[in-house]
Amino acid sequence: RLVHEFLAGLPDVRLLRGRCLSYGRGITFWPIREMLLQASGISDDDSLGEARQKLAGLLAADDEADAPRILDRVAEAIGLAEGTADPDDTLRSVRRLFEALARERPLVLLFDDVHWAEPSLLDLIEGIADWARDAPIMLLCVGRQELLETRPTWGGGKLAATTIQLEPLTAAESDELVVGLLGHADLDEGVRRRIAEAADGNPLFVEELIGMLIDDGSIVRDDGSWSAARDLRTITVPPTIQALLAARLDRLE
């Protein structure tokens, strides 16, 4: 949600997204592949030759003497060519390609689920952060706390790097969220407290639980404000966010 709100407020930039996968073959540089397919317009129907030609178009405006070598290394990394390049050469080539894109327009690279990233991809991301100093590139990496178990120094000691850890909401913050979602609703303080306790600091749980109560008519809107249509102290609260989402899905026609 924070990433969504942040990106919505950005000026004219080129945004490329890639998601790390938890399992599968050839997934090491999968996020890079997704980003470059977006940037080049490569589709599933393109032949390898057509895909390579579109990828080369990303370097067309760049005056790089070693553009063919950069193209070869990048194509190998994302599965558009056979071969296994030297890791350092791959890192340099991917960085040079992103730098070329950033010279046209500021570039935001969004890596999602980086707690699943392979070590080689984490090395590549850190390499771009360390060496792409002269290009307007922002690396936005989103992941769970497990990342710090395998890479405890992640983001540490780097120039222009910031790490934000999202802690669970406090009971007071959860209550504030309830009030913010419903306005000054006529809800008993005990009910709001129960919602906050059930959510255990998860804001999505708060939103979905309120949505469930609205769907089943337990909370109704009357004269511009929300109020309880029955005694909410007896409601059954699903024990987990997964159970809550499943309960809401089960109610759909």
Side-chain angles (χ1 to χ4, degrees), residues 100-148:
L101 290 176
R103 279 192 279 273
E104 299 175 6
R105 194 166 26 145
L107 182 63
V108 176
L109 303 178
L110 172 57
F111 292 88
D112 209 351
D113 289 333
V114 291
H115 51 279
W116 284 330
E118 298 284 331
S120 297
L121 178 62
L122 295 178
D123 291 341
L124 186 148
I125 293 173
E126 290 188 322
I128 295 175
D130 286 335
W131 297 104
R133 302 272 180 81
D134 298 326
I137 298 175
M138 179 176 192
L139 303 165
L140 185 55
C141 303
V142 185
R144 299 177 188 157
Q145 296 277 34
E146 296 95 281
L147 172 64
L148 299 180

Side-chain angles (χ1 to χ4, degrees), residues 65-81:
D66 53 354
R69 183 187 59 78
I70 293 175
L71 179 62
D72 288 341
R73 298 293 84 77
V74 173
E76 290 167 359
I78 65 174
L80 296 182

Side-chain angles (χ1 to χ4, degrees), residues 204-243:
L204 178 61
F205 196 111
V206 175
E207 291 184 324
E208 292 297 327
L209 182 55
I210 289 176
M212 185 184 76
L213 295 175
I214 292 174
D215 288 345
D216 66 14
S218 297
I219 299 177
V220 295
R221 191 169 181 82
D222 185 34
D223 290 334
S225 64
W226 295 95
S227 61
R230 62 186 179 90
D231 187 357
L232 297 182
R233 290 173 296 183
T234 62
I235 62 172
T236 300
V237 177
T240 65
I241 184 63
Q242 289 84 358

Side-chain angles (χ1 to χ4, degrees), residues 28-42:
T28 299
F29 296 114
W30 187 261
I32 303 297
R33 175 186 171 91
E34 289 188 320
M35 291 175 178
L36 294 181
L37 263 56
Q38 294 167 35
S40 61
I42 296 173

Side-chain angles (χ1 to χ4, degrees), residues 4 16 19 27-28 38 44 49 51 63 103 107 121 143 148 153 162 166 189 207 224 243 246:
H4 173 79
L16 301 178
R19 181 179 297 277
I27 62 171
T28 299
Q38 294 167 35
D44 293 336
D63 188 23
R103 279 192 279 273
L107 182 63
L121 178 62
L148 299 180
T153 60
T162 300
L166 300 183
E189 182 180 347
E207 291 184 324

